[in-house]
Amino acid sequence: MTEELAPQYDPSAIEAALYQKWRGEGRFHVDADAPGEPYVIQMPPPNVTAVLHAGHGLNNTIQDVLIRFHRMRGRKALWVPGTDHAGIATQNVVEKRLAQAGKSRFDLGREAFVEEVWTFVGETGGQILRQLEALGSACDWDRTYFTLDPGLSRAVREVFVTMHEQGLIYRGKYIINWCPRCLTALSNEEAEKEETAGHIWHLRYPLADGSGSIVVATTRPETMLGDVAVAVHPDDPRYRAMIGAELALPLTDRRIPIIADTAVEQDFGSGAVKVTPAHDPTDFEIGRRHGLAQLDIMTDDAHLNETVPERFRGLDRFVARKQVVAEFEALGLLDRVEPHRHAVGHCYRCGTIIEPRLSDQWFVRMQPLADPALAAYRQGALRFIPERQGEIYANWLGNIRDWCISRQLWWGHRIPVWYCDADGCGQTIVAREDPDACPGCGGALRQDEDVLDTWFSSWLVPFSSLGWPEQTPDLKAFYPGSALVTAPEILFFWVARMVMAGLHFQGKVPFETIYLHGTVRDTQHRKMSKSLGNGIDPLEVIERYGADALRYTLVSGMAVGTDVILDPADIDSSFAPGRNFANKLWNIGRFLLSHLDADVPRLADVDPEAFTAFDRWILGRVDFAIRHATTEYERYRLNDAASAAYHFLWSDFADWYLEAAKPRLYGTTPDGRVARAVAAHVFDAALRLLHPVMPFITETLWLRLPHADPRSALIASPWPTPVDVADGTASRDVAAVQAIVGAIRGLRAEYGVAPGREVSATIVEASPAAQQAITKMGETIRRLAKLEQITMQDTIPDEAGGTIVLEDGTSVIVPLGDLVDLDRECARLGDEAMKLEGLVRGLEAKLSNAQFTSRAPAAVVDGEREKLETWRHQVASLRQKRQALGCPG
RNA sequence: GGGCGAUUAGCUCAGUUGGUUAGAGCGCGCGCCUCACAUGCGCGAGGUCGGGGGUUCAAAUCCCUCAUCGCCCACCA
């Protein structure tokens, strides 16, 4: 511990080695049978191909803070890491690489392509987990999972088959969201609605008998080639007579009927809707009600197919749109075009505009799952932070729609369904184990080509990562978990679905607290992204300032429910709070450790009589910091917890206690040993408070403190508890010292007294606390305020000086001879007096108001009376000083 | 269209059930290399709490209203 520490904190010399030390000592691992109440967090599994970005940094910092805090509080804290196979995302990455070699996945074929993806994942996948180490993440790496692992795959299959048996999974032909680039169906959640400026075209369809026409309004004119009817509201007087009539569908040789359906809004557009059952969900429903044909006019990649007239075949949907409009115009059938803003779905992985498409897919029936999930929330089994997110969750569950879970991809969990194509058999098998042959006819089976939505494996993670469907000790010990920490973006994708799966398969919600944190944004409040180039690389920040600086900056900038704003263009000032504090902490430690030795007594061994007022004061302050920080950590107000430790260390401990105690620490007197014991004790406690947020520096310094068991570690140490040796006297005396010193420093600055020059101070009408402070701690005041001497007297000194009247009425006068500008001093005192007189008048009025004195609580009234006395006294003193200086007025 | 929310210092935000002269960090100004730290020390300026109305002895805090901004959901083509 006498070993020299560098004056500048150098994280690179510490962090990586310390992380490996912790890991080597098994600090992150938790056994199912370990003692203590469990505290479990499931890490939102990053995509296996992901690279750490600022969002991950924030998300994982929060989780790590919680895990470390609860571990120190005596819980058996488990943080489960893993990666997600990320079906579409990963497949897209590998396809892109193949494309560079001029190949597509179809060139390779399914088996070889999947092999290729496994190779890619094996070589580059999971790097994000290694990057999380740099952040300091204390997760249990022994339990790292991958959503395609055999165990988790078994869970997926078990869930699919069980839900199918329960009638909760079905296959059906419906309008789904289709990505024509990824060539797969998507769930509603994966189709991101984006408000887009488009047009609404009014197209005129002539009646077949030539007796007139009807105008329909559409945002997607190209789909008219798939129209099978035009619908109007049955009560619409404009069209009632036309119901049942036949239209000659322009650009085609088809005839379509005019039908009546109440789904049509009379007020919108023209009040007549073209019906395209294969390309629009509403039209699909209308079509079903009226037994209309479903005319699919598009190919997988959204080009027009052979059902349309020849000249349109093979055209891209947007090219076709232009051409359809042009032909309508040429025919004089384009009634008009209006600008129109509407929500257009985009693929959440590639941004391509979604094509609503009629397709055979697998679905999960959601209502039976959503009802319990909603009830659990209403009954208080789930707690949202911030609370308002709960209503968003409830709103979604209340309007739930079935979940399309099949994907036309190759990378993922293959759907465990087999079909027998044998003549006269045609059996469908849904099975936990791969069947060899058709149980009906013994013939060959063909497995469903599709894979499952990635989220169909991640929604099981709270129990599948613990070994389910086996009833493992881990499952017993660690389900349900405690908190789920993530961004609001995946509330529906993941969080709500985990609640449903947890309730359905385990009978309990998977976690009690859902902490939804903000987003890391730039100074224009734009989300950080690769394409905008406004990202901040957490690894670069760690390299420059250390993980602790990054973590502190993120945590302190993160009030509950708010975004973290950072400036990518100015990393230096963005991370100044963390960097500065890390360095400050380092230097506090450096200074203190250089004055400690192995003989420092334990606080409990110090005779309480030996404590100075400053000792008792700082012990009271650390107790306050402990209580405050603990409460805030428990409430998930991490920024407030961090700030409690910050202010204790920087303001109370470094600025006042250490500065006051320096002579004691420098010396070798018994009193010095008391100061060392106190300083070591409170510093130890403060390091514990701060450890969850800044694990590396706190551990490094803590290990060098005396009394630390060499086999022990801060990461595994208990949370600090208050010592309760403080008393009111100490805090009053120290407050008086601080006020007097502050006043003198203020006067020195006011009159530009050179820092090196010592002056004197005269205290007039000292309050009892001030008298105590000067009598007992005059020496300390002298040193901190750079005074030659400090004296108390009853009368104002002759020599001209600067004066400050403290709140308790004590006057602090610094005679400064020629330095004092009398006019300025008079003005300053006068302004101060006027300001206070205003307050006094207001308070007098308040106190003379019988309504106030009779209705307000007595304590409030008494407090106001006391305040009035203080202010009056201050005013009197200020007036008196002005008089003594011979000020005018 | 439905749901949720925001507006406090130049910037990012605190302000817990209504009750001291509304706080912090960053930024800014002045003075300092004081033997732990210039990533520092000391001092300071800066806010009619978005506008208006109301409830109350008392409102940044509760209610109404207007304005501006944001997020989520949504089959008015």
Side-chain angles (χ1 to χ4, degrees):
Chain A
M1 93 192 59
T2 49
E3 165 195 354
E4 284 293 311
L5 296 171
Q8 289 276 309
Y9 173 59
D10 178 11
S12 65
I14 286 171
E15 294 183 349
L18 180 52
Y19 191 85
Q20 289 313 320
K21 177 176 185 289
W22 280 328
R23 194 169 181 175
E25 292 166 353
R27 304 293 183 188
F28 307 149
H29 178 76
V30 192
D31 283 315
D33 58 4
E37 194 191 334
Y39 183 87
V40 182
I41 296 181
Q42 289 284 349
M43 176 189 295
N47 288 0
V48 65
T49 58
V51 179
L52 191 76
H53 61 237
H56 294 121
L58 177 63
N59 178 246
N60 288 286
T61 295
I62 295 168
Q63 296 175 75
D64 196 47
V65 170
L66 294 174
I67 282 291
R68 287 174 185 268
F69 169 67
H70 284 103
R71 180 175 294 136
M72 292 177 78
R73 295 275 280 166
R75 305 279 291 266
K76 61 174 169 185
L78 170 64
W79 186 15
V80 184
T83 48
D84 194 301
H85 67 282
I88 309 184
T90 305
Q91 175 160 328
N92 282 352
V93 170
V94 176
E95 286 196 270
K96 221 170 266 176
R97 284 162 53 93
L98 283 178
Q100 282 168 5
K103 284 193 279 188
S104 81
R105 66 177 152 122
F106 301 102
D107 295 331
L108 270 69
R110 183 166 192 150
E111 206 170 314
F113 177 77
V114 170
E115 195 61 36
E116 180 75 20
V117 182
W118 273 110
T119 306
F120 176 73
V121 165
E123 282 167 2
T124 65
Q127 63 172 317
I128 187 164
L129 296 184
R130 294 186 287 280
Q131 293 170 328
L132 286 178
E133 296 179 15
L135 197 64
S137 310
C139 30
D140 190 347
W141 298 113
D142 299 341
R143 297 170 188 277
T144 309
Y145 66 83
F146 179 47
T147 49
L148 280 178
D149 284 345
L152 277 82
S153 299
R154 200 158 67 247
V156 163
R157 192 173 276 202
E158 175 66 30
V159 164
F160 185 96
V161 175
T162 303
M163 291 182 71
H164 184 264
E165 288 164 357
Q166 295 168 334
L168 292 172
I169 284 184
Y170 63 92
R171 186 172 172 80
K173 199 168 186 181
Y174 297 96
I175 298 281
I176 46 84
N177 299 288
W178 179 265
C179 175
R181 203 217 62 84
C182 299
L183 300 180
T184 180
L186 298 171
S187 66
N188 296 319
E189 289 68 35
E190 290 170 318
E192 291 180 337
K193 289 297 174 69
E194 225 172 280
E195 191 79 6
T196 312
H199 299 276
I200 186 158
W201 287 268
H202 292 249
L203 308 178
R204 186 174 297 277
Y205 291 3
L207 284 163
D209 62 8
S211 66
S213 64
I214 193 165
V215 172
V216 298
T218 179
T219 54
R220 295 189 301 151
E222 69 280 11
T223 62
M224 60 78 51
L225 295 169
D227 283 0
V228 295
V230 165
V232 297
H233 195 278
D235 302 335
D236 195 328
R238 290 171 294 179
Y239 303 120
R240 207 179 297 148
M242 298 168 91
I243 294 168
E246 237 182 1
L247 294 162
L249 186 63
L251 317 192
T252 72
D253 52 9
R254 290 193 291 117
R255 302 201 158 193
I256 59 175
I258 297 179
I259 60 173
D261 196 288
T262 50
V264 178
E265 287 287 335
Q266 300 183 50
D267 301 337
F268 188 85
S270 62
V273 188
K274 53 190 277 312
V275 181
T276 323
H279 294 281
D280 182 277
T282 311
D283 294 6
F284 174 79
E285 294 300 333
I286 294 175
R288 283 233 291 210
R289 285 197 284 273
H290 297 268
L292 300 173
Q294 297 165 338
L295 195 57
D296 186 345
I297 60 164
M298 289 204 202
T299 59
D300 285 357
D301 58 352
H303 287 65
L304 298 190
N305 66 17
E306 71 289 347
T307 60
V308 302
E310 184 138 15
R311 62 187 186 283
F312 292 107
R313 284 179 202 164
L315 291 183
D316 172 81
R317 53 186 165 163
F318 299 118
V319 176
R321 175 174 300 177
K322 280 199 181 113
Q323 188 164 331
V324 165
V325 170
E327 292 197 16
F328 265 82
E329 196 165 16
L331 292 168
L333 294 174
L334 181 61
D335 200 56
R336 62 201 156 97
V337 186
E338 293 172 338
H340 183 63
R341 288 195 70 82
H342 60 145
V344 175
H346 291 73
C347 172
Y348 86 136
R349 299 278 33 145
C350 73
T352 301
I353 292 178
I354 294 297
E355 191 61 39
R357 186 170 195 234
L358 187 61
S359 180
D360 247 320
Q361 302 289 343
W362 289 93
F363 296 86
V364 173
R365 211 178 292 286
M366 294 304 270
Q367 198 68 51
L369 297 174
D371 289 343
L374 185 54
Y377 167 68
R378 295 286 182 218
Q379 288 156 16
L382 291 171
R383 170 178 165 224
F384 281 87
I385 296 172
E387 250 177 76
R388 63 185 150 82
Q389 294 284 350
E391 285 309 307
I392 297 174
Y393 165 91
N395 190 253
W396 184 75
L397 286 174
N399 299 289
I400 196 101
R401 289 179 296 159
D402 285 355
W403 175 16
C404 174
I405 52 169
S406 42
R407 297 288 176 277
Q408 288 64 53
L409 305 171
W410 289 348
W411 176 242
H413 298 95
R414 188 103 175 238
I415 290 181
V417 174
W418 289 262
Y419 307 99
C420 177
D421 293 330
D423 282 347
C425 182
Q427 209 170 327
T428 296
I429 297 104
V430 180
R432 289 174 176 79
E433 303 295 335
D434 291 14
D436 297 326
C438 176
C441 68
L445 291 171
R446 171 177 59 84
Q447 185 171 6
D448 195 300
E449 293 293 323
D450 293 348
V451 300
L452 289 160
D453 181 2
T454 290
W455 301 99
F456 196 86
S457 54
S458 34
W459 76 325
L460 311 177
V461 152
F463 44 93
S464 65
S465 72
L466 299 172
W468 190 87
E470 307 301 324
Q471 292 300 315
T472 60
D474 275 1
L475 184 65
K476 207 174 149 138
F478 298 120
Y479 189 94
S482 311
L484 193 281
V485 180
T486 190
E489 287 108 84
I490 54 175
L491 177 58
F492 309 138
F493 274 116
W494 193 48
V495 182
R497 287 177 184 154
M498 279 192 288
V499 175
M500 295 188 242
L503 283 167
H504 192 69
F505 289 98
Q506 308 299 326
K508 285 179 198 160
V509 292
F511 29 74
E512 55 204 19
T513 302
I514 298 168
Y515 182 115
L516 297 170
H517 59 251
T519 307
V520 185
R521 295 175 186 278
D522 68 10
T523 49
Q524 295 169 58
H525 293 202
R526 298 176 309 182
K527 199 170 164 177
M528 290 187 175
S529 77
K530 236 186 244 173
S531 50
L532 284 174
N534 64 343
I536 286 179
D537 179 3
L539 295 174
E540 187 194 329
V541 176
I542 289 171
E543 202 180 306
R544 282 165 75 166
Y545 314 121
D548 285 343
L550 171 74
R551 294 166 60 115
Y552 181 83
T553 302
L554 290 175
V555 168
S556 67
M558 178 207 69
V560 167
T562 65
D563 292 333
V564 178
I565 311 293
L566 296 171
D567 186 356
D570 192 354
I571 303 269
D572 210 52
S573 88
S574 284
F575 291 91
R579 182 201 54 179
N580 295 354
F581 184 41
N583 195 56
K584 183 69 183 182
L585 182 56
W586 182 254
N587 275 289
I588 292 171
R590 202 158 73 94
F591 172 72
L592 182 59
L593 288 168
S594 72
H595 291 98
L596 297 182
D597 56 51
D599 297 332
V600 174
R602 300 165 58 86
L603 190 72
D605 297 336
V606 175
D607 176 4
E609 294 293 311
F611 289 137
T612 65
F614 261 99
D615 291 338
R616 290 198 307 281
W617 170 77
I618 197 69
L619 288 165
R621 293 302 294 167
V622 80
D623 281 1
F624 175 78
I626 291 168
R627 292 196 167 97
H628 188 192
T630 306
T631 308
E632 301 303 344
Y633 276 123
E634 281 173 339
R635 296 169 65 205
Y636 292 82
R637 316 256 314 202
L638 307 189
N639 59 328
D640 290 328
S643 133
Y646 177 99
H647 284 109
F648 171 76
L649 277 160
W650 202 317
S651 306
D652 294 338
F653 188 58
D655 288 350
W656 288 101
Y657 184 79
L658 287 181
E659 288 305 326
K662 270 179 177 173
R664 301 165 71 199
L665 293 171
Y666 289 149
T668 52
T669 59
D671 178 52
R673 298 189 69 227
V674 174
R676 279 188 263 276
V678 171
H681 173 83
V682 303
F683 190 57
D684 180 311
L687 290 177
R688 290 174 201 242
L689 292 184
L690 200 55
H691 179 261
V693 180
M694 306 181 87
F696 291 108
I697 301 185
T698 53
E699 180 76 272
T700 304
L701 295 174
W702 189 86
L703 286 171
R704 291 163 191 262
L705 284 173
H707 306 310
D709 179 340
R711 290 158 309 176
S712 183
L714 179 54
I715 187 176
S717 294
W719 197 244
T721 48
V723 290
D724 286 321
V725 303
D727 56 46
T729 316
S731 85
R732 213 165 40 241
D733 291 352
V734 170
V737 170
Q738 291 175 323
I740 293 166
V741 170
I744 296 164
R745 284 173 176 170
L747 288 169
R748 293 186 68 116
E750 172 90 19
Y751 288 108
V753 180
R757 178 173 159 187
E758 294 199 328
V759 295
S760 296
T762 306
I763 311 299
V764 180
E765 286 191 293
S767 68
Q771 286 182 30
Q772 280 285 317
I774 292 160
T775 309
K776 292 199 295 199
M777 292 175 278
E779 205 44 40
T780 302
I781 296 173
R782 237 171 40 73
R783 198 164 40 78
L784 295 180
K786 289 217 172 71
L787 292 177
E788 199 173 333
Q789 61 171 2
I790 181 166
T791 53
M792 280 188 279
Q793 63 185 56
D794 296 332
T795 55
I796 298 162
D798 297 336
E799 198 190 347
T803 302
I804 282 183
V805 178
L806 302 180
E807 281 183 18
D808 65 5
T810 303
S811 294
V812 178
I813 301 171
V814 178
L816 289 166
D818 299 344
L819 280 176
V820 170
D821 176 340
L822 262 186
D823 291 343
R824 184 166 156 192
E825 187 63 16
C826 285
R828 209 172 52 79
L829 292 170
D831 290 349
E832 185 68 18
M834 296 241 299
K835 188 181 119 195
L836 279 164
E837 276 163 349
L839 291 170
V840 165
R841 274 194 302 275
L843 198 45
E844 280 170 347
K846 191 174 182 181
L847 281 165
S848 62
N849 181 351
Q851 298 282 9
F852 171 66
T853 47
S854 62
R855 296 201 189 186
V860 171
V861 177
D862 288 348
E864 297 293 87
R865 288 212 171 99
E866 223 167 283
K867 201 163 66 186
L868 181 62
E869 280 317 298
T870 308
W871 287 347
R872 279 178 172 158
H873 185 95
Q874 265 180 282
V875 169
S877 296
L878 286 164
R879 290 287 169 213
Q880 201 185 337
K881 263 50 169 199
R882 279 175 54 86
Q883 212 168 12
L885 289 176
C887 296

